Amino acid sequence: MGSGRTGRSVAFALAAAALYALSTPFSKVLLADIAPNMMAALLYLGAGAGMTALSLADGVRVERGEARGRSLERADVPYVAAMVTLDVAAPLLLMAGLSLSSAESVSLLNNFEIVATALVARLAFGERVGARAAIGIGAISLACFLLSWDAGAWGFSAGSLLTLAACLCWGIENNCTNRLSDCDPVKVVVIKGWGSGAGALAVALCAGDALPTLVNAGLALLLGFVSYGLSIACYVRAQRDLGAARTSAFYAVNPFIGSALAFALFRTPLAPTFVLALVLMAVGTWLVAPRDPSASRPPA
């Protein structure tokens, strides 16, 4: 694989991270008026609707002049089903966790997705995890422990545990999506958006969640299109050349962007534990990231 093609794939992974980083702080703002389950549904429905519109208008190609990828086949059905199911559970868990925790902590805890993705990639699909990456995974895990521990209650906070559970779902889902990385990324996002959004909406309605105002619903749908739809399309395209674990490593900058945005919006004081966790996250992310960005994709 050429260095130019690899560089483009890395750029897609970083773009996915930057776009997704918008979701946590701005979702926290909207959660003041929208129930968590309904918020999760609107985010994915926004992704599905936005990407469907762009696909129909033929206004977006992930890389101009390049084929979009193969069509979905019958052998892909188990991965598609798992992808949609996990993408129903993950945002429900994340929005519930975000409603109970600060946006800064949830943004950083999102990095646990790296740990989950790498472990599943190793155990289920045989992707290599070297000693350096293993140390980085340990540092990220320790940071997640610090962010999740509630010293006052001598236990883990409910919001943090819900966020970590969401990351575990997404770690498994990332590896399922990686099996589809040579497919048209726009079609993959459309399926994820409509399927997962419909599932989350059914949960929200069964839970008795009230429908938001048109303005709030529109803002949530727009946020979903940008931070989930466009982000996932870039992520899937990056996985085509980089693999699940390596794409997740580059994508790991998103919690730091999200935390910075959250501090800018909410002006939350920096606790010493948060600062220590931030340092550990940064070190862990640096260790997990591959030294040679042009290295070939790990065997799947």
Side-chain angles (χ1 to χ4, degrees):
M1 180 172 56
S3 59
R5 181 175 173 182
T6 301
R8 288 193 296 272
S9 296
V10 171
F12 278 120
L14 294 176
L19 291 170
Y20 180 71
L22 301 173
S23 66
T24 298
F26 288 108
S27 290
K28 183 70 173 179
V29 174
L30 291 171
L31 281 170
D33 300 302
I34 303 176
N37 293 336
M38 186 63 68
M39 186 68 199
L42 290 172
L43 287 172
Y44 267 104
L45 288 173
M51 297 307 291
T52 297
L54 288 176
S55 178
L56 291 175
D58 200 30
V60 166
R61 288 185 182 276
V62 176
E63 190 170 338
R64 292 188 182 277
E66 179 178 315
R68 289 192 176 193
R70 66 174 178 84
S71 300
L72 292 169
E73 302 170 354
R74 180 174 297 180
D76 298 320
V77 170
Y79 297 114
V80 171
M83 176 184 72
V84 171
T85 301
L86 290 164
D87 270 335
V88 171
L92 292 173
L93 292 166
L94 182 66
M95 290 300 112
L98 183 57
S99 69
L100 299 173
S101 302
S102 70
E104 305 85 55
S105 292
V106 170
S107 291
L108 275 190
L109 283 171
N110 274 330
N111 239 354
F112 186 72
E113 186 177 335
I114 297 176
V115 177
T117 299
L119 290 179
V120 173
R122 171 58 182 158
L123 295 175
F125 298 106
E127 292 193 19
R128 293 186 296 272
V129 178
R132 181 173 179 263
I135 295 172
I137 288 171
I140 293 171
S141 299
L142 178 57
C144 290
F145 175 87
L146 292 174
L147 288 171
S148 303
W149 184 256
D150 185 348
W154 284 96
F156 294 103
S157 68
S160 296
L161 291 177
L162 288 166
T163 302
L164 293 175
C167 291
L168 178 59
C169 289
W170 268 318
I172 300 171
E173 185 268 340
N174 285 340
N175 283 276
C176 293
T177 304
N178 189 43
R179 306 303 107 183
L180 309 172
S181 61
D182 56 346
C183 298
D184 180 352
V186 174
K187 290 182 180 177
V188 173
V189 177
V190 168
I191 293 171
K192 285 163 70 79
W194 286 116
S196 303
L201 182 61
V203 172
L205 294 176
C206 289
D209 288 355
L211 293 173
T213 65
L214 288 177
V215 172
N216 286 329
L219 290 173
L221 290 169
L222 177 61
L223 180 61
F225 166 56
V226 173
S227 64
Y228 279 32
L230 294 180
S231 175
I232 294 170
C234 291
Y235 194 98
V236 172
R237 176 58 185 82
Q239 281 190 327
R240 186 180 300 175
D241 298 323
L242 300 177
R246 285 167 52 80
T247 300
S248 183
F250 285 110
Y251 184 76
V253 299
N254 93 75
F256 304 104
I257 301 173
S259 291
L261 287 172
F263 278 118
L265 285 172
F266 304 110
R267 305 290 184 181
T268 307
L270 284 173
T273 302
F274 183 90
V275 175
L276 178 57
L278 180 63
V279 172
L280 285 170
M281 282 285 188
V283 172
T285 301
W286 176 75
L287 288 171
V288 169
R291 293 183 182 181
D292 179 11
S294 64
S296 61
R297 170 179 167 172

